[in-house]
Amino acid sequence: MTMKGLSAPSDLTIRFWGVRGSTCTSGPNFVEFGGHTPCVEVRCGERLFVIDAGTGIHAFGAHHGQNLPKRIDLLFSHLHLDHVTGLAFCKPAVLDREREIHTYCGNLDGASAAEALDRLFAPPLFPITLDMLPARFVHHGFRSGETLHFSDGIAVDTLPLRHPQGATGYRFRHAGRTACYISDIEHGDVWPEPDLLHFVRGADLVMFDGMFTEGEYPACRGWGHSTWQKGVDLCRAGDVRQLGIVHHYPQHGDALLRDLEQQLQAVMPTAFVARERQEVVLPAMARVPEPA
């Protein structure tokens, strides 16, 4: 991992724009880690993907402005409110008539997000519908577990996750590096699950839902979330190099998250608790010369 600002055009780069789960937070106790709900920017070299459209997508859009490409590929983990409510507020994306936003949803048995988003972004819940915005939305459905193939040759692997109404994990591979997004997920009695372990094995970075402490989890069983300890177990079993904890509980302030990070790094020094605007750069692997 390299620090912010040192990435090269060929690297696999991840930037966190929203790391909070369930609902936004604000106030003096939520400055360091941030209060926006999920949104993660993934760049395979110069190729842009966005995971989830929580309120963090507003900050993503404000930061990049008109420098965003004309086509944005937005991959939904699922469609619960904390992962979609920022969609209409990504101004560079929705105010440009030449912009296309392609959404991908894998937890609706092959259906796209179109029907659900049309219900949410419509009166009386919202003043307008998405098709009234200048940007053009194109919705794609798939079944979690399928590989997404894009016209420029990039492929993104997917995996169904244990969560109420389902969720989708994503695996990005670029320039010899691998990053996986595993949120929202609840661990089962058998852990790590074989399919998930295979999915993350050997990854350079796994972003994992560590919403609850081990003390909080028993009262929240069935809510569809996990703990940082289960993330460590998964990464150790899968020979994963780095672990980034995401989807923070709204009541966890900066002091608590710093303490959790110290506990986490005591057992996995390369792990971290993700912060808003944090950037992780996975440098492209040097090419191995072909044999003569």
Side-chain angles (χ1 to χ4, degrees), residues 43-106:
R43 289 190 183 263
C44 299
E46 308 239 349
R47 178 63 157 85
L48 170 67
F49 293 95
V50 181
I51 307 174
D52 285 332
T55 59
I57 203 170
H58 170 73
F60 159 81
H63 175 83
H64 289 296
Q66 294 304 317
N67 293 324
L68 291 170
K70 292 302 181 183
R71 170 173 169 154
I72 296 175
D73 288 310
L74 172 59
L75 314 179
F76 287 118
S77 63
H78 62 307
L79 302 179
H80 288 167
L81 287 177
D82 51 332
H83 294 256
V84 301
T85 50
L87 183 57
F89 300 96
C90 182
K91 290 186 178 179
V94 299
L95 296 182
D96 186 342
R97 295 185 181 278
E98 297 181 3
R99 188 93 54 188
E100 279 192 352
I101 302 175
H102 289 250
T103 74
Y104 297 82
C105 182

Side-chain angles (χ1 to χ4, degrees), residues 39 53 64 69 104 124 126 140 167 193 213 216 220 268 277 287 289:
C39 180
H64 289 296
Y104 297 82
F126 197 72
H140 306 268
E193 296 172 353
T213 67
E216 293 164 339
C220 305
M268 186 175 179
R277 297 179 177 266
R287 290 183 177 274

Side-chain angles (χ1 to χ4, degrees), residues 129-167:
T129 56
L130 290 181
D131 59 8
M132 296 173 67
L133 295 169
R136 177 172 177 257
F137 286 86
V138 182
H139 302 290
H140 306 268
F142 67 95
R143 289 179 170 83
S144 296
E146 298 175 350
T147 297
L148 300 178
H149 294 277
F150 297 87
S151 60
D152 55 5
I154 290 183
V156 177
D157 300 314
T158 74
L159 182 76
L161 304 179
R162 181 195 300 266
H163 190 71
Q165 294 85 55

Side-chain angles (χ1 to χ4, degrees), residues 244-291:
I245 297 299
V246 296
H247 211 279
H248 310 326
Y249 193 38
Q251 296 179 19
H252 289 176
D254 291 336
L256 175 58
L257 291 175
R258 281 195 299 269
D259 181 62
L260 293 180
E261 187 172 59
Q262 288 182 347
Q263 298 175 45
L264 170 64
Q265 292 177 343
V267 297
M268 186 175 179
T270 58
F272 61 93
V273 175
R275 293 157 170 81
E276 234 171 75
R277 297 179 177 266
Q278 180 179 0
E279 184 177 85
V280 177
V281 179
L282 303 174
M285 304 231 356
R287 290 183 177 274
V288 179
E290 295 289 337

